[in-house]
Amino acid sequence: MMLNVTRAAAAALLAFIVANGAAMAEPTKPECLAGAKPGGGFDLTCRLAANSLLASKIIGTPMQVTYMEGGVGAVAYNHVIGKRGTDGNLITAASSGSALLIAQGKFGQYDESAVKWLGALGADYGVLVVAAESPYKTLGELVAAYKATPADFAIGGGGAVGSQDWMKASLLAKAAEQDPKAMRYVALEGGGAVLTALEGGHIKVGSGDAAEMGQHHKAGKVRILAVMAPERLPGDLAQIPTAREQGIDIDWIVWRGYYMGKDVTAADYDWWVEGFKKLSATPEFLAERQARGLFEFNMFGQDFDAKVKADVARFKVLAKEAGL
């Protein structure tokens, strides 16, 4: 009798191992969903994962990148929740902008708890820039001048009111003890338009991201006054002080991450988390991240889930303070 029980237990254990091993196997049809047209930030995020996962041999089947335009990711978010909540093959691109829109209720009825947040594989950081010939050499000088005559300062960004660039500008207004709702904000079509407006004198301050504006700073077309990062960035931007260094507590990280459907199995979710962790240390990924103009920012699993939810909570406060 004891022998039969032991055999039965062993068989059950083997079945459990086989079942879970199969569940945690590499996805057979890996796919990344970009919630916009090809060529934007979501596409970049999907390509970052797709190219490096295959190059590092973490996946053996090429990852398909698909597109679903609408609401800056809102349509894709609702699609994953409603139609593909159990699909362990699918990851979807997201960013800190996604968290900002969720905080403003722009993803419909669903909040930040409606999906499983998987991880982030890179980031960019907000910057405040002025024209190359601007009299302002430090963030402190700009804040003081803005505080004295706020009506004189038009601030341009690559997004509408409530966008990430608008929110960065609102942090400048708050630092100058001004009401963000009264800010002279000019909504422009991307960083290129911000550069043109600065060079033409149509705006005095530009709100943008380090990777893009860093190229113009290096070329002498603009002057970056501050990086909105916890510490200085590497490479060409190493000489630019952070806002914190200049006594002004302004942080804005633009993380590039991914989520999965809420009802994927724990085994499938864990496979992707462990795969991303392994990927982040490979030379193939490091080369791909650099080519995409991103800085190091690795955060996975529950740590990333907590980060997203903390960001949404922070953005809700900022949006309320800004009257959005």
Side-chain angles (χ1 to χ4, degrees), residues 73-95:
V75 172
Y77 197 76
N78 281 261
H79 172 75
V80 171
I81 295 166
K83 302 252 176 127
R84 304 188 67 178
T86 63
D87 191 344
N89 286 294
L90 180 71
I91 63 174
T92 304
S95 74

Side-chain angles (χ1 to χ4, degrees), residues 215-230:
Q215 300 173 22
H216 303 315
H217 175 88
K218 184 179 179 181
K221 295 181 178 180
V222 300
R223 180 186 303 129
I224 298 179
L225 297 185
V227 175
M228 298 178 176

